[in-house]
Amino acid sequence: MTEPTGLKSWITTVDHKRIGKLYFWTAFCFFLVGGIEALLIRSQLAQPNGHIVDARTYNELFTMHGITMIFLALMPLSVAFFNFIVPLQIGARDVAFPRLNAFSYWVFLLGGIFMNLSWFMGPLFHTGRLSVAPNGGWFGYANLTERQYSIGPNIDFWLLGLQILGVSSLAGGFNFVITILNLRAPGMKMMRLPVFTWMTLVTSFLLITAFPVITVALAFLMFDRFFGTHFYQIGAGGDPVLWQHLFWIFGHPEVYILILPAMGIVSEVLPTFARKPLFGYTVVVYSGILIAFMGWGVWSHHMFSVGLGPIADAVFSSTTMLIAIPTGVKIFNWIATLWGGQIRFTTPLLFAVGFIAMFIIGGLSGVTHASPPADLQQTDTYYVVAHIHYVLFGGTVFGLFAGIYYWWPKMTGRLLSEALGKTHFWLMLIGMNLAFFPMHFIGLLGMPRRVYTYSPDLGVSTMNLVSTVGAFLIAFSMLLFIWNVIRTRTQGKVAGDNPWEGATLEWATTSPPAVYNFAQIPTVHSRLPLWNEPESVAQHHPTGHIHVPDGSWWPMVSAAGLPLLATSLISGQLWLAFVAAAVMLVGIFKWGFEPFEV
């Protein structure tokens, strides 16, 4: 059974591995876009009274940088690994709903394009500028996002784009929960699941419970902006603090949606290159579950400056400190895994260890936010920017690159260059610390975040310049990675099925895997089958026909209706809403009646 080729086969694919690759390359392109936005921000702040961009463009840049990195880069990069790796790790042929999986990807792609087209849509709205990109921050605080304070379509692109992306996240979340719970290979009990699959399951539950909250908040704002309601307007009986509660009830679980997959990756990489089982597997799994559960009880530490009162401040201060416990447990388990192991300092291991070190720094600065008096000093300063970047760049990005270098041979059949990979790691590590560590002091010295210029009298000019140099060093390290990828296509060493001598089921298949994943569905008897029972999970040639679903156009067609519907709202063209509804209905109808056996 051969894999189909050609452009049509990629557009219509429902194969989880191809969808994983589509997610990866799309998200990586958005990652580069977000990086360019960051470089423009840092160029503006490299010296006092900068003139690279004006204030309005700067507002658009920091807003789109946050949105792009969180919703269009880091989350979908994790989803790329969910798609490609999880079915292989549990011994399945595909996800539970292959066409829904394709639908999730196309909604993500079209939602991301919809939001980024706002950079060029100004002439259509007669604004006198090229850009009408979102400009109210990725958090969109009311009531600055109300129509009277944001007249143009900027905020409309943001709130409608996020709702489109939420549909993608919900579709993917439900799919992976059902896949992991129902499609495990014989003998694959829950406590035999790889930690990455466990963190995928936990993250998927967070997705399907957190995104409805932000959907409600965005729906209220949409009704305020388009239909004249007053959910967030004090003068009409509304409350702008309601937005903050709804947003951060979503927003803090969102942080764990971003970091838990990276924790899962690190928990796979460390045992492989220490050549010993993960220390305290059960504790690591339950601490991940506890982090997700406790993540619902800390949201108001983002709101200490609102004036919630001493009781609320005390409660949320305590819960914020308590959530550091399961996180610390994981860190000690990772270090214990390395202790006494036969360590091989490969590129994936370097990124995994870098994740631990940088995440510890981000965690320590995060604990300082748990104290309301300290938080009042830090709120809306660059200290907070430093903290979130140590968590999401030092944490999530380093963890994702550990996964990229670890699973690249499984995904492509070739090994990335170790020399280039290690150079990439050290440049990125140095650049990251140059870029973000000075921000702690910049913030404590009084520089507010989200300002496009500052006075030389503030005394932070040199540190801002160092931070900008660090940002460009990160960019250079990314160019090295891209060169590594290009070079590997033709000159990379052929990987073999299990180049790292890993213990989990994805390494029992060919590299890259066949379209049907496994010639025979393996039966497992332990948590580390390739170390404990390699013969029982060994793969041979298939003995008969293996059914895999054929491609379908209809998930993409169904997805196309969502940005059309959003465009009708922004443009005020009612006829376009009917076109969008027709496109979605036809796509869903044809999808629903597509032959099951195809």
Side-chain angles (χ1 to χ4, degrees):
M1 184 178 298
T2 58
E3 191 172 31
T5 58
L7 180 61
K8 177 186 173 183
S9 69
W10 284 93
I11 294 175
T12 62
T13 187
V14 296
D15 178 3
H16 73 96
K17 299 179 292 298
R18 285 193 159 198
I19 292 172
K21 289 181 178 180
L22 288 171
Y23 260 111
F24 176 83
W25 288 114
T26 305
F28 188 73
C29 287
F30 282 127
F31 180 74
L32 296 180
V33 170
I36 292 169
E37 290 161 351
L39 293 179
L40 289 171
I41 292 169
R42 289 312 318 166
S43 298
Q44 169 67 15
L45 298 177
Q47 58 184 350
N49 302 319
H51 299 288
I52 303 296
V53 296
D54 58 21
R56 285 173 29 171
T57 302
Y58 187 85
N59 289 344
E60 294 169 350
L61 282 170
F62 75 71
T63 301
M64 285 299 292
H65 169 69
I67 293 168
T68 301
M69 286 303 194
I70 291 171
F71 296 104
L72 301 179
L74 302 190
M75 277 179 63
L77 279 171
S78 297
V79 173
F81 290 129
F82 295 177
N83 269 282
F84 200 103
I85 300 300
V86 167
L88 297 175
Q89 285 196 331
I90 65 174
R93 299 217 185 277
D94 209 315
V95 295
F97 304 111
R99 288 177 177 81
L100 185 65
N101 202 23
F103 172 77
S104 174
Y105 167 73
W106 289 110
V107 172
F108 154 64
L109 172 64
L110 295 174
I113 292 173
F114 172 81
M115 295 186 79
N116 277 278
L117 281 177
S118 61
W119 285 112
F120 312 102
M121 292 292 107
L124 293 181
F125 295 93
H126 308 292
T127 61
R129 302 178 74 239
L130 179 63
S131 173
V132 285
N135 58 358
W138 78 280
F139 42 82
Y141 279 169
N143 52 7
L144 295 178
T145 49
E146 295 288 344
R147 184 68 73 182
Q148 63 265 42
Y149 297 109
S150 182
I151 299 173
N154 308 62
I155 298 300
D156 299 330
F157 275 101
W158 169 77
L159 73 90
L160 294 169
L162 283 188
Q163 290 186 83
I164 294 171
L165 295 173
V167 172
S168 171
S169 296
L170 287 170
F174 282 113
N175 207 348
F176 285 109
V177 167
I178 296 168
T179 297
I180 294 168
L181 294 181
N182 290 314
L183 298 187
R184 288 168 285 136
M188 180 73 76
K189 300 176 182 179
M190 291 300 290
M191 295 314 291
R192 290 177 180 167
L193 286 175
V195 177
F196 179 69
T197 298
W198 257 115
M199 293 305 102
T200 301
L201 180 64
V202 173
T203 301
S204 298
F205 272 112
L206 282 176
L207 282 169
I208 62 181
T209 50
F211 266 86
V213 181
I214 189 66
T215 301
V216 169
L218 291 167
F220 286 170
L221 181 59
M222 180 176 69
F223 274 82
D224 278 10
R225 288 185 63 84
F226 291 119
F227 307 116
T229 57
H230 309 289
F231 286 102
Y232 302 121
Q233 297 183 32
I234 292 177
D239 186 357
V241 178
L242 172 63
W243 169 269
Q244 290 196 39
H245 280 295
L246 289 173
F247 182 83
W248 288 118
I249 288 174
F250 152 80
H252 214 84
E254 169 67 15
V255 172
Y256 300 115
I257 288 170
L258 293 168
I259 200 66
L260 284 171
M263 290 179 168
I265 292 170
V266 169
S267 300
E268 299 295 328
V269 171
L270 295 179
T272 298
F273 297 108
R275 195 61 185 178
K276 56 182 288 195
L278 180 69
F279 183 88
Y281 164 86
T282 304
V283 177
V284 171
V285 168
Y286 280 114
S287 65
I289 297 170
L290 190 59
I291 287 170
F293 180 77
M294 295 177 69
W296 289 101
V298 300
W299 80 86
S300 280
H301 69 218
H302 294 274
M303 301 169 59
F304 285 146
S305 61
V306 169
L308 297 176
I311 294 176
D313 283 356
V315 169
F316 285 102
S317 175
S318 300
T319 57
T320 304
M321 292 179 185
L322 284 173
I323 203 170
I325 295 174
T327 305
V329 166
K330 281 180 175 285
I331 291 169
F332 283 115
N333 278 314
W334 291 329
I335 295 171
T337 301
L338 293 171
W339 186 267
Q342 302 173 31
I343 298 176
R344 293 174 288 164
F345 284 102
T346 61
T347 303
L349 183 67
L350 289 176
F351 274 102
V353 173
F355 164 93
I356 297 172
M358 297 301 100
F359 188 71
I360 288 172
I361 296 174
L364 290 173
S365 64
V367 170
T368 67
H369 300 317
S371 171
D375 184 80
L376 289 173
Q377 170 73 17
Q378 299 156 8
T379 291
D380 279 339
T381 72
Y382 263 82
Y383 188 94
V384 181
V385 180
H387 160 68
I388 197 64
H389 281 88
Y390 266 91
V391 171
L392 295 186
F393 195 96
T396 303
V397 174
F398 271 73
L400 288 170
F401 271 107
I404 290 169
Y405 281 95
Y406 182 58
W407 282 313
W408 193 269
K410 180 54 58 179
M411 296 172 72
T412 67
R414 291 182 179 270
L415 287 158
L416 289 164
S417 164
E418 280 289 296
L420 287 173
K422 290 174 179 176
T423 306
H424 168 206
F425 165 75
W426 288 111
L427 287 176
M428 194 165 106
L429 182 71
I430 295 168
M432 189 214 130
N433 284 284
L434 283 176
F436 304 123
F437 198 80
M439 291 182 184
H440 293 99
F441 303 105
I442 292 171
L444 292 176
L445 286 171
M447 182 169 173
R449 64 197 296 193
R450 301 188 287 271
V451 294
Y452 85 107
T453 189
Y454 58 94
S455 168
D457 298 333
L458 195 58
V460 296
S461 304
T462 301
M463 286 186 286
N464 266 309
L465 179 60
V466 170
S467 184
T468 300
V469 170
F472 277 89
L473 190 57
I474 293 171
F476 180 71
S477 76
M478 293 302 163
L479 292 177
L480 270 185
F481 170 73
I482 293 169
W483 169 244
N484 199 352
V485 168
I486 295 170
R487 175 189 172 278
T488 299
R489 285 182 58 87
T490 56
Q491 302 177 43
K493 181 181 177 182
V494 176
D497 294 346
N498 190 3
W500 308 126
E501 299 178 349
T504 46
L505 280 183
E506 74 268 28
W507 302 109
T509 64
T510 57
S511 299
V515 65
Y516 46 77
N517 288 353
F518 296 92
Q520 299 88 27
I521 297 296
T523 299
V524 299
H525 304 284
S526 71
R527 188 169 56 81
L528 305 171
L530 268 70
W531 285 357
N532 298 334
E533 43 176 315
E535 292 303 321
S536 66
V537 296
Q539 293 293 299
H540 308 284
H541 293 293
T543 55
H545 174 72
I546 299 175
H547 169 73
V548 292
D550 203 354
S552 174
W553 289 96
W554 304 116
M556 183 183 69
V557 173
S558 303
L562 291 171
L564 284 176
L565 185 61
T567 303
S568 73
L569 278 169
I570 290 179
S571 63
Q573 301 296 318
L574 184 61
W575 64 270
L576 191 55
F578 288 107
V579 172
V583 169
M584 283 190 286
L585 287 173
V586 169
I588 293 170
F589 180 85
K590 298 292 286 185
W591 175 359
F593 284 90
E594 206 161 29
F596 179 76
E597 65 274 9
V598 169

